[in-house]
Amino acid sequence: MKKNEELCEGEVIHEETVKKVRATFPEDEMIFDLADFYKIFGDTTRVKILYALDKSDLCVCDISALLGMSVSAVSHQLRTLRESDLVRTNREGKVIYYSLADDHVKSILECGIEHIKEKE
């Protein structure tokens, strides 16, 4: 490993601060899981589905009509969202309704929208 002076091209490393922050870091596996979690939000179709489910529980046909997509394409995205524990299902007779898994998902969406609106 390089000396501190070489890492920052003449800048001083605040070793105590670095040590303090490093002690708060989660394990690498948690960091990888967090990055994978946020990748789910990197797809506009999935974000549209989550936004729609934030407004109302919907069946796959409703989501398909809302987004102008095939039922198959919507089902594929819903499977990804279910596997990521972002949506849950509720069966009523033959119809399966989708909803956000919990208030954390709602908060993530709302915080993201607030953040973007701040820039406007």
Side-chain angles (χ1 to χ4, degrees):
M1 183 169 188
K2 297 180 180 181
K3 292 182 180 179
N4 290 343
E5 294 81 28
E6 295 175 27
L7 290 174
C8 285
E9 300 176 17
E11 295 293 321
V12 175
I13 301 293
H14 300 93
E15 291 185 31
E16 286 302 313
T17 303
V18 171
K19 184 178 178 181
K20 180 179 169 184
V21 171
R22 184 177 286 131
T24 69
F25 265 43
E27 297 291 325
D28 282 349
E29 186 175 334
M30 178 67 75
I31 296 291
F32 296 140
D33 290 345
L34 184 61
D36 286 341
F37 173 76
Y38 280 110
K39 284 180 190 176
I40 299 299
F41 292 89
D43 180 272
T44 55
T45 299
R46 288 191 291 263
V47 172
K48 286 178 183 180
I49 292 170
L50 291 170
Y51 186 82
L53 295 176
D54 183 32
K55 304 305 173 200
S56 178
D57 293 0
L58 299 167
C59 70
V60 67
C61 292
D62 293 341
I63 298 168
S64 174
L66 180 67
L67 301 183
M69 297 175 61
S70 70
V71 169
S72 175
V74 171
S75 293
H76 173 75
Q77 297 299 343
L78 285 167
R79 182 174 55 248
T80 300
L81 292 168
R82 283 185 68 200
E83 290 170 355
S84 300
D85 295 322
L86 294 172
V87 300
R88 64 176 180 215
T89 60
N90 179 36
R91 180 180 292 273
E92 290 186 20
K94 293 183 179 182
V95 180
I96 297 175
Y97 289 94
Y98 292 85
S99 61
L100 296 181
D102 56 38
D103 286 339
H104 294 116
V105 180
K106 182 180 181 79
S107 295
I108 291 166
L109 286 172
E110 290 172 354
C111 285
I113 289 171
E114 275 184 44
H115 181 72
I116 291 166
K117 285 182 177 178
E118 285 178 1
K119 294 179 181 182
E120 294 177 351

